[in-house]
Each structure stands twice: as C-alpha cells, then as structure tokens.
Amino acid sequence: LSFEMHHRFSDPVKKWWPEKGSVDYYRALADHDRILHGRRLLTFSEGNTTVRISSLGFLHYTSITLGTPGMDFLVALDTGSDLFWVPCDCSQCPHFEFSIYSPSTSSTSNKVPCNNNLCQSGCSGSSHCPYKVAYVSADTSSSGILVEDVLHLETEDEDVSVPIIFGCGQVQTGSFLDVAAPNGLFGLGMEKISVPSILSSKGLTVDSFSMCFGRDGIGRISFGDKGSSDQEETPFNLRPTYNISVVEIRVGTTVDTNFSALFDTGTSFTYLRDPAYTRLSESFNSQAHNNRDPKIPFEYCYYMSSTENISRIPSISLTMKGGGQFSILDPIIVIFTRVEYVYCLAVVKSQDLNIIGQNFMTGQRVVFDRERHVLGWKNFNCYNTEDDVSLPIHPRNSPPAVAAEPDRYTPEA
C-alpha cells in the first residue's frame, strides 16, 4: 500500500484552511495550547502559543479574546512599550481583514474617565481619557481613548475574566498602517497600565512573566512564570524599562565592549550604536567565509550556496553584567533569491538606542522577573515542559530560523 503525503499548505490540503493572510489563518498556525502543569500560571483563553509572522514584521503574535461577547484579536507582543491597544472605532486604521473593537458592541465595556489614576493625558473638552503613544519607528503612533473591558484568561483550573484598561485605537500612523501590529499591540512593559502590572496588582499572578522564542517561529508566553533555578540572570539597570548591561561580546573570540541595551520583543532585529556595532560587525565580517554582497539593506551580507554548511557562520554570544552567558543562536537573516541565497548579520546600526530585538532571543526562554528586578534566560525548546531537556548551547544542524523573500528584507525604521 502507498499513500500520498501533503504539506498542510499544499494545494490539495489548503482548501480546508482559512484564507492566507486572514486572522483565522494565523490563529490556525498557533495551536490551541496550554502547558501549565500545576505551575500556577495564567494564560490567554486561546492558549499561550505565540507565532512569529514574517509578513507582519517578523514579530511574535498571539491570539487574545476581549469583551462580551468575546472578540478575537491577533496582537503583537511588545516588552518595549506599556499600553495594550487594539484598532477601535477607526478613523485611520490598516486595511486588513482583522477584528475592529467598538465599546458599543461589548456589554462589559466602559470608557475611562479623566479622573482615573491611569489617565495620564490631559482632558480638554471631553470627559473621556485620551491617549497617544509614539514609538521609535519613524512617524509611528497610536491614539484614541482609554476603555475598560474584560480580557479572557485561564488558569489550569478555571476561566478568568479580568477587567483591563487598554487603548481604543482610533488613529494609527506609520508602520502600523503597513505591516506592524495591524490588529493591536500588547504592551508588556513595567508601567502600571501594562497588562502584567494589572494582573499582579490584582493578585492574579506573581509579578513576572516569560516568553519562549522557538527556532521554528512558534513560542509561548506565560504570566506568573519566574523561570527555573538553573537559568542565567542579570539585573535590570533602570526602571521602568527592561534595560540590561552587556560587558562583553564574543564573535569566535572576545570583542572588548561595554554597553547597556533595552530587551525589546517589539523590535524584530537588533540595533546597536557605535562602538558596539562596528566592533561586532567587523569581527563577524573578518570570520565570515563567504563573498560579501553589498546590495542588501543590511550592511553585512554574504552569498551562500544551498549546499553549504551553516556551521561556517560565525557564532555570537553576549556576557551580561554578573557573568551570565547569553548565546545568540540565530544572529542572521536569510534572504532567498531564484538561484541562491544570501545571509545577513541581522544587526542594524543605531543612532541612539541599543536594542536587543526578537532575533537575538531565538531559542531562549526569557523571563522578565519584575518582582526580583532581573532578566533570566535559558536555552530552551518551547515545545517542552520544564522537566524536559533544554536545547544544546550551539545547535548548528538546523536551518536558520528567520528567512525572508527578496521583497521582505528591508530593516525596520
């Protein structure tokens, strides 16, 4: 007997899948998944799986349920900002087939008044609290009013509907009108208005959460997770941001450098200022074994045949304040062409901030322990539970986790 095998996105099979690009399509990529196992963690009602979506800016997204009746949103996860917002009663929002929230359609929705202690914007001629948040990317912002509604969460034993204050995003600008977070942004920062702060202030979880970034683009987010006793750690430098100190970079050999950086899941790639950028990139370039391609937007890119061994790509690791070693399992982005492919050091030269982006977090479970004021991490397989074996330090026999089509490799602003 013989049977045909089909990939789940092949022509014979995909007719049973939602239309590519729809919110249902992306939700189908992230299986309904809760692996809590008595650890007293809190997660979304649709599970704690996250998925990196290359067509939406290489960020990690998760599906959440908001309001009554519940409405689903596919939100980008961002530790570099605080406010959670979704497109709402739009006057300027991206033209995607995603959910649009409206306070008038949810029986549990209330507009936040100006005298609420989380209202930080002045109210002129209105009793409702306005907000406007500007982001690092050029001309990128979200504005509207603050509302309160229930976010549907689950523990291992029960459903929990938590009142959350979030942004009713009526006007989006910049990259939010293109590919970044078209269905909302889930702020995970330290300020009181962020969702982790609200969950801990209500006594629902301890003040810590983790994000695991799988090499295949699938990961997990878990509220209340303080990590494990064998994880590496480094202290946060400044409140209210996840800012840490790097005391050394290793690119094969030690590169003498010392800088502070923001750990930001809302930034796809890593951004470094000089002298750290030049020292890292020139050391990487001196150890690369391939011919350099000067035409790609990333500065250090190289031709590579499809049969070439990926182990020849230089390895990178960071030494954090306190001595913890942070291995960069995938420092590159791969760009496919018709006849060959090009790999690039996925680090962008910055003029102001040092940002450790999502690409450097691949293969790690990163713990944002706001209670102890430390960042923790561990090489980890996101499909495993805590008792399973973690990933090897430098796996080199699998393909690069991040890849792009030729029209999708422009670094973010």
Side-chain angles (χ1 to χ4, degrees):
L1 297 173
S2 64
F3 300 90
E4 273 191 271
M5 293 192 301
H6 295 285
H7 189 274
R8 59 179 171 173
F9 300 128
S10 63
D11 287 336
V13 175
K14 68 182 182 182
K15 62 184 178 182
W16 288 296
W17 275 74
E19 181 181 357
K20 187 172 183 180
S22 67
V23 65
D24 289 335
Y25 172 86
Y26 290 123
R27 286 186 61 201
L29 289 179
D31 295 331
H32 191 80
D33 181 22
R34 301 178 195 88
I35 298 188
L36 305 180
H37 298 298
R39 298 177 61 205
R40 297 184 179 178
L41 303 182
L42 191 65
T43 188
F44 301 116
S45 61
E46 290 300 322
N48 61 340
T49 301
T50 68
V51 59
R52 184 183 60 230
I53 303 173
S54 299
S55 61
L56 296 181
F58 289 101
L59 299 178
H60 268 255
Y61 290 78
T62 195
S63 180
I64 65 163
T65 305
L66 190 63
T68 306
M71 180 176 286
D72 296 332
F73 295 85
L74 192 75
V75 293
L77 300 168
D78 183 14
T79 58
S81 64
D82 298 288
L83 183 67
F84 161 39
W85 60 264
V86 294
C88 166
D89 288 345
C90 291
S91 61
Q92 184 172 300
C93 290
H95 299 290
F96 288 87
E97 293 184 9
F98 288 121
S99 301
I100 302 293
Y101 177 86
S102 177
S104 63
T105 61
S106 174
S107 63
T108 47
S109 177
N110 292 291
K111 295 178 180 179
V112 174
C114 289
N115 60 2
N116 188 287
N117 62 356
L118 292 180
C119 181
Q120 298 180 349
S121 300
C123 296
S124 56
S126 172
S127 59
H128 303 138
C129 178
Y131 83 88
K132 182 171 183 178
V133 183
Y135 297 84
V136 174
S137 296
D139 301 318
T140 296
S141 68
S142 175
S143 61
I145 61 171
L146 294 184
V147 299
E148 184 180 61
D149 208 337
V150 293
L151 178 65
H152 298 275
L153 302 169
E154 287 196 357
T155 67
E156 191 172 16
D157 303 318
E158 61 179 340
D159 298 338
V160 182
S161 296
V162 182
I164 294 289
I165 289 179
F166 60 96
C168 167
Q170 298 162 333
V171 177
Q172 272 63 257
T173 66
S175 62
F176 290 147
L177 294 177
D178 183 13
V179 295
N183 203 211
L185 193 73
F186 202 83
L188 294 164
M190 287 188 180
E191 293 283 10
K192 291 181 180 179
I193 201 168
S194 76
V195 175
S197 296
I198 293 174
L199 296 180
S200 63
S201 69
K202 292 179 181 292
L204 294 170
T205 65
V206 296
D207 198 7
S208 182
F209 67 94
S210 71
M211 293 182 67
C212 192
F213 300 88
R215 290 173 65 86
D216 59 355
I218 305 297
R220 288 199 178 102
I221 180 169
S222 299
F223 297 102
D225 186 7
K226 294 179 68 67
S228 57
S229 59
D230 59 344
Q231 69 185 9
E232 301 272 12
E233 293 182 345
T234 192
F236 293 129
N237 292 326
L238 303 169
R239 284 188 179 273
T241 62
Y242 304 118
N243 184 286
I244 52 86
S245 290
V246 177
V247 298
E248 185 179 83
I249 299 178
R250 291 181 178 270
V251 189
T253 58
T254 300
V255 178
D256 183 24
T257 190
N258 192 316
F259 61 92
S260 63
L262 180 69
F263 248 70
D264 183 10
T265 64
T267 302
S268 307
F269 304 110
T270 293
Y271 288 71
L272 296 179
R273 298 169 54 190
D274 271 336
Y277 173 80
T278 296
R279 290 173 179 171
L280 169 63
S281 56
E282 288 185 351
S283 181
F284 184 90
N285 183 59
S286 69
Q287 298 176 57
H289 298 277
N290 304 95
N291 293 325
R292 191 169 167 189
D293 182 346
K295 300 187 296 296
I296 306 298
F298 287 98
E299 187 173 4
Y300 289 89
C301 297
Y302 309 86
Y303 295 109
M304 194 176 190
S305 71
S306 59
T307 59
E308 196 161 353
N309 191 342
I310 198 171
S311 65
R312 292 167 61 86
I313 297 174
S315 62
I316 298 176
S317 66
L318 308 177
T319 303
M320 304 297 194
K321 182 179 179 179
Q325 298 295 312
F326 192 96
S327 302
I328 312 301
L329 302 182
D330 268 318
I332 63 169
I333 181 172
V334 177
I335 300 162
F336 296 99
T337 68
R338 289 191 179 92
V339 295
E340 60 194 347
Y341 65 90
V342 173
Y343 71 89
C344 302
L345 175 64
V347 179
V348 181
K349 188 173 183 178
S350 172
Q351 299 302 316
D352 40 33
L353 298 175
N354 292 313
I355 299 174
I356 305 299
Q358 276 195 15
N359 67 316
F360 270 31
M361 303 180 207
T362 298
Q364 307 276 4
R365 184 180 68 180
V366 182
V367 178
F368 298 86
D369 192 332
R370 300 131 56 89
E371 193 172 68
R372 294 176 51 230
H373 206 57
V374 299
L375 180 82
W377 66 92
K378 179 180 178 180
N379 297 136
F380 204 71
N381 184 334
C382 298
Y383 291 103
N384 289 347
T385 62
E386 180 59 44
D387 295 331
D388 288 329
V389 179
S390 61
L391 288 172
I393 298 297
H394 291 292
R396 288 293 182 176
N397 57 351
S398 57
V402 180
E405 295 298 327
D407 61 346
R408 284 290 181 188
Y409 55 66
T410 302
E412 57 206 352

